[in-house]
Amino acid sequence: MFPLTEENKHVARLLLNTGTCPRCIFRFCGVDSHAPYRLPYEELLNELRKFLETEKDELILEVLNPPPKKIRLQELEDRIDNVNQNGEGRLSVIEDGSIASRNSNLNVCNVCLGILQEFCEKDFIKKVCQKVEASGFEFTNLVFSVSFPPQLSVREVRSFAHIKLYQSLSLGRNDIVQLKEAYKWTTHPLFSEELGVPIDGKSLFEVSVVFAHPETVEDCHFLMAVMKALNKIKEEDFCKQFPCPPNSPKAVCTVLEIECAHGAVFVAGRYNKYSRNLPQTPWIIDGERKLESSVEELISDHLLTVFKAESFNFSSSGREDVDVRTLGNGRPFAIELVNPHRVHFTSQEIKELQQKINKSSNKIQVRDLQLVTREAIGHMKEGEEEKTKTYSALIWTNKAIQKKDIEFLNDIKDLKIDQKTPLRVLHRRPLAVRTRVIHFMETHYVDAHHFRLYLKTQAGTYIKEFVHGDFGRTKPNIGLLMNVTADILELDVESVDVDWPPALDD
Amino acid sequence: MATEPEAAEPVVPSLVDRYFTRWYKADVKGRPCEDHCILQHSNRICVITLAGSHPVLQSGKTIKSISYQISTNCSRLQNKVSGKFKRGAQFLTELAPLCKIYCSDGEEYTISSCVRGRLMEVNENILHKPSILQEKPSTEGYIAVVLPKFEESKSITEGLLTQKEYEEIVVKRINATTATS
């Protein structure tokens, strides 16, 4: 059923005359049911013309009751001209389409510039869907985002101002149905049908189309920040600047881009590090790689491939030096996979992925590999800043020692130490003093110049500096406590005391 | 130089050996034997220390006090550094004085920076216990920490002597002394 009523006739005719397309006409008349917009363009055009077929009297009445003086004289003359040109003063819309063809060029709508014409119809949607399918993304739903050139808003306001001159409308500017809304009502069912998935605003898979209209870019130049200005500018000033009614452009909008992107997915786990020659992140100076590979690459490269992602962001609950091993349950990590093309994996597939990573290198091993949500990153931070760690260090002393010389360390609990920013990181960290706690220590005598120290410390404690003292800038330190010169030969992380991510039975 | 003799023990590279390169400046400010040793970390940070041949480190010398007040208006203790980029630091040129050492025999020695850069910190531990400077001049007894400009990190060592060059100078001095005595 045709959605326009008698009430709408004048406005509809006026708009059609000036070159506005049927769907935009619906919008201006406040048509807010979806079905009419979904009818094919040709059909809408025909129905509209039928609807507007005028009686002789109606039009003459219009001419005899001229619009208010505000209207420019020229426009009024134009209208009378048209009536006269048809001789009898009768305008037949269907027969010669005079209104349509003479006063307006309905090839390109003067308000939507083609958006609600060809760009919401099946052929165009098919073209977009072909691109989506070719992109190789895996998805079960999608969110469609579209961007229009700002000229559209300007033209809409101008048309509205134009109508108001002729017709005191019961509808206000806010009753006009938004272009984007109407566009989505029309296109969403077409997308769903073509791709076989529902549209879901929360979907991680986004298809975005950007339109531009280079021909009319000048329309906006008198307005700063188009939308804000449109709300503020006085109508008179606006009308002075912009042709009334908006002119009919020669060409429709151009499609600037059709892009697809999938929101990031997150994979977490724990890693062990068995090499004393492996950095956490790639070690590159002046474009030259100093050490082969890195923890993050050994884990993430496999994920990048399998998820077909563009890139990754690796984060972990703290990190260890190149020459430090990570033993025990390992250190929690989370990897953000950016724009993944494949996202659905069974837990069996993830298990196999874990095995693949573990087989590929003996420098690192991973466990508890699983898909997680974005809050994973928060867990990483918490683990780094708040949770305790335990270590084992092999210590050398310059003076010869006996078993009894190290026993006293076992009795020290919750030792407070002050650490100035270690010299080895001072080039990239602020100079500060950090107080940290050594919760407990356990010593194992090795020989006259060596012993093993197990210790549990607060997050953020520099262990190496606690042992050798860093030029006396960490106090107290093992050397001071024992009254020797001490140095650290080996360090291992024994545990990172975070119970996240959840352990999986392997 | 204080080291414990290690019988059959293989020499364990010390902290300084592992991370730092030793550079020297001899006869600083023209004063004979006032040699400085600059420990340059692989990350370009420099620790200013006294070289073993410096008069203050010779046996028999007692330090009365150390002062970081190098002029009426400037005390190195007032150096305040903030943020990752170390803003607010006192800027040092090669000849900038770091501290003054007063000995019980009335001698006074000025220690200079020897490198250009921002002053990070001076060692307050030697203020309270000057003997540390003589006991462990290369570690706990350091004088100051300086951060050179990134662009200058290689060039700052151009005016300095390598370990080998320094040792040659020391040998020359000893020979000169023995020759004249």
Side-chain angles (χ1 to χ4, degrees), chain B:
Chain B
M1 291 177 240
T3 37
E4 299 270 14
E6 304 288 286
E9 201 63 46
V11 177
V12 176
S14 68
L15 179 65
V16 174
D17 296 330
R18 283 187 281 128
Y19 292 114
F20 296 83
T21 311
R22 289 178 169 89
W23 298 95
Y24 296 85
K25 195 153 185 162
D27 309 314
V28 171
K29 279 203 162 138
R31 316 226 355 205
C33 295
E34 288 189 27
D35 308 329
H36 295 36
C37 176
I38 291 89
L39 303 175
Q40 189 191 33
H41 194 282
S42 46
N43 66 15
R44 89 183 188 271
I45 292 209
C46 291
V47 184
I48 316 302
T49 69
L50 298 183
S53 46
H54 196 283
V56 170
L57 299 182
Q58 304 317 307
S59 59
K61 270 289 200 205
T62 314
I63 301 175
K64 203 168 71 181
S65 68
I66 298 177
S67 168
Y68 285 110
Q69 188 81 38
I70 50 151
S71 71
T72 27
N73 290 328
C74 179
S75 162
R76 296 305 184 194
L77 288 175
Q78 285 161 357
N79 189 56
K80 279 220 170 2
V81 156
S82 69
K84 194 164 133 183
F85 297 101
K86 323 299 189 291
R87 286 186 228 282
Q90 293 172 2
F91 192 80
L92 304 168
T93 55
E94 287 94 326
L95 297 174
L98 290 173
C99 71
K100 294 202 166 108
I101 301 176
Y102 302 94
C103 294
S104 55
D105 61 6
E107 293 281 358
E108 195 184 296
Y109 302 93
T110 300
I111 312 302
S112 305
S113 174
C114 303
V115 294
R116 278 168 55 87
R118 288 183 207 243
L119 177 65
M120 295 290 96
E121 64 183 51
V122 289
N123 190 353
E124 292 189 36
N125 293 330
I126 58 177
L127 272 186
H128 313 307
K129 202 176 165 213
S131 54
I132 298 179
L133 172 49
Q134 293 169 309
E135 287 159 25
K136 299 203 167 158
S138 298
T139 50
E140 275 93 326
Y142 73 97
I143 307 291
V145 177
V146 180
L147 176 67
K149 282 192 194 175
F150 184 76
E151 312 83 65
E152 292 177 15
S153 23
K154 297 255 159 61
S155 60
I156 46 159
T157 55
E158 272 161 21
L160 302 174
L161 305 163
T162 60
Q163 174 87 27
K164 196 154 168 257
E165 288 166 343
Y166 163 70
E167 282 167 0
E168 282 166 14
I169 287 182
V170 172
V171 166
K172 264 198 210 133
R173 273 187 205 148
I174 294 174
N175 291 343
T177 336
T178 44
T180 53
S181 56

Side-chain angles (χ1 to χ4, degrees), chain A residues 339-384:
Chain A
N339 203 16
H341 286 53
R342 245 204 90 181
V343 295
H344 290 105
F345 294 89
T346 61
S347 48
Q348 180 60 29
E349 285 172 313
I350 299 287
K351 269 206 181 99
E352 283 164 12
L353 182 54
Q354 177 176 302
Q355 280 164 9
K356 187 163 167 219
I357 296 173
N358 289 338
K359 278 209 179 78
S360 72
S361 171
N362 53 7
K363 291 184 180 176
I364 54 114
Q365 293 282 283
V366 300
R367 73 179 73 204
D368 303 334
L369 198 65
Q370 55 196 271
L371 283 163
V372 294
T373 63
R374 188 174 277 275
E375 28 166 81
I377 308 299
H379 283 289
M380 293 294 107
K381 262 279 138 160
E382 193 192 319
E384 177 167 355

Side-chain angles (χ1 to χ4, degrees), chain A residues 169-279:
Chain A
L169 292 174
S170 49
L171 294 170
R173 203 163 119 186
N174 292 329
D175 294 315
I176 303 178
V177 172
Q178 298 262 348
L179 178 68
K180 211 172 237 191
E181 287 299 299
Y183 189 74
K184 290 193 168 173
W185 293 342
T186 322
T187 56
H188 279 191
L190 295 174
F191 272 114
S192 283
E193 196 190 316
E194 191 65 30
L195 294 170
V197 299
I199 307 278
D200 180 357
K202 290 200 210 72
S203 174
L204 284 175
F205 181 59
E206 179 185 3
V207 175
S208 79
V209 178
V210 177
F211 290 102
H213 198 254
E215 191 189 320
T216 57
V217 156
E218 291 294 296
D219 285 359
C220 300
H221 75 266
F222 70 98
L223 286 174
M224 305 288 204
V226 177
M227 288 317 294
K228 221 177 175 179
L230 280 177
N231 286 328
K232 280 199 182 155
I233 192 172
K234 286 212 199 91
E235 228 166 65
E236 303 97 68
D237 298 330
F238 180 73
C239 292
K240 279 191 207 131
Q241 293 283 359
F242 199 84
C244 169
N247 60 356
S248 292
K250 297 195 193 70
V252 291
C253 287
T254 52
V255 181
L256 264 188
E257 66 178 44
I258 302 174
E259 297 291 331
C260 308
H262 200 294
V265 295
F266 295 82
V267 176
R270 300 179 83 109
Y271 71 81
N272 283 102
K273 180 176 177 258
Y274 298 117
S275 164
R276 291 201 187 281
N277 219 13
L278 186 70

